[in-house]
Amino acid sequence: MKKAFYLIILLNIFLSINLFAAKNLYLSYKKIPNQVYKNQKIEIIVKALITTDNFDSLSTSFSNSSNVTILNANSTWRKVSNDTYENSYYFKAKSSNFRLPNINVKLQSNGSVLDESELSSPSIRYSDIGTGDTRFSGVMADKFILKAYKTKQYNNKEALTIIDIDAQNSNLEDFKLQGITEQGVSAIKEEDGKQNLVFYFVTPIYEKKVVFTYYNLATRSFKDIKIPLILQNELVSTQTDLNPNDSTFERYKKIFAIVVFALFLILFVIKRNKILMIFTVLTFIIALLYNLPNSKGIVKKDSYVYILPTKNSTIFFKVDNDQKVEILQRRNGFIKVLGQDNDFIGWIKEESFGTN
């Protein structure tokens, strides 16, 4: 009886040792913020200790989250030492009753799971911010730099301003100016925790400045940003490329084509030579092509007018109604158009162009 009892004890010890030895993956949190604000981008660093070399990859899944956006669910694990890997995951809390997800990590080899481990959701305090500040832009950042700004006349009653912002550890994608109806993102980029935003907004032409605030995470305080609206005496149309029809080179080219045709025509009338007749016909065709009026059409309602024919070009404005235009150039899937009343010149995407 005693032998059987001792055998059971030894068997349990043996099984416990084997179970412990079979564990190859240990997870822990390396970085967790103490507090989070609404829409703040927070970083949580997960550390994985691996006790075997016989594995191919680590895969991560998330579960049981609530009112949270996972910004980089497919982030790649990075090796920091022989047996240690880390991954940085970014989240946004949407409301006070948020819950960060449980994080499950699997250690895999040849398509099979060698081991897996799970971290329970960490507890983080939540605070609303800027709720009483009518100038709050919704942005939180360690560093915020207004690099450049430019204001142009948009129409007789409004001005268009374009701003260029750099920010560190921020949520620039949530940037918004309160009290301004027409505004939007022209371009946004992010690399290594640094964001760049090109943003446009339209204000009454008599406005002299726009002031907004952002929350500085390093100093835990609101900071004012002032944008002087210094209006330049030119319409949006002059900010874009010059109208090719109005350039000196184009004008001289048209005149030159007509002059050459006229010379060959005079020589042909005098000489009655067949070769001169051929050159006269050719120069007539060239002069005609150079001086033909441009094709016309419309820019469709709700289309965007860009400053350059590129994907990430600044948007100058959106067309509220079908706008009659003249075609000036075509390039890279874009069409350069001139407004019927010469009130703007800009580039539109080909799908934004239609016929009368």
Side-chain angles (χ1 to χ4, degrees), residues 244-257 291:
N245 292 339
D246 294 337
S247 72
T248 303
F249 176 73
E250 287 293 327
R251 193 178 301 114
Y252 284 149
K253 190 162 64 173
K254 292 177 180 179
I255 294 171
F256 180 75
N291 287 275

Side-chain angles (χ1 to χ4, degrees), residues 210-316:
V210 166
V211 181
F212 64 87
T213 66
Y214 80 97
Y215 187 76
N216 188 295
L217 295 168
T219 63
R220 295 186 179 181
S221 61
F222 287 94
K223 302 290 185 182
D224 286 350
I225 301 293
K226 297 179 182 179
I227 306 174
L229 303 182
I230 304 170
L231 188 64
Q232 299 185 13
N233 295 323
E234 52 184 337
L235 288 170
V236 169
S237 60
T238 61
Q239 170 64 17
T240 60
D241 299 353
L242 292 175
N243 182 349
N245 292 339
D246 294 337
S247 72
T248 303
F249 176 73
E250 287 293 327
R251 193 178 301 114
Y252 284 149
K253 190 162 64 173
K254 292 177 180 179
I255 294 171
F256 180 75
I258 294 172
V259 169
V260 171
F261 162 68
L263 287 174
F264 275 105
L265 179 61
I266 292 169
L267 287 173
F268 171 70
V269 171
I270 296 172
K271 300 288 186 179
R272 298 290 180 176
N273 186 289
K274 289 185 178 180
I275 295 177
L276 287 174
M277 182 182 70
I278 294 171
F279 278 107
T280 301
V281 172
L282 288 175
T283 54
F284 171 74
I285 293 171
I286 293 171
L288 183 64
L289 290 174
Y290 275 144
N291 287 275
L292 278 174
N294 292 319
S295 300
K296 295 183 178 181
I298 59 167
V299 178
K300 298 174 185 176
K301 180 183 177 182
D302 294 330
S303 297
Y304 290 107
V305 178
Y306 299 84
I307 186 173
L308 293 172
T310 59
K311 184 187 296 184
N312 297 322
S313 176
T314 299
I315 296 172
F316 261 130

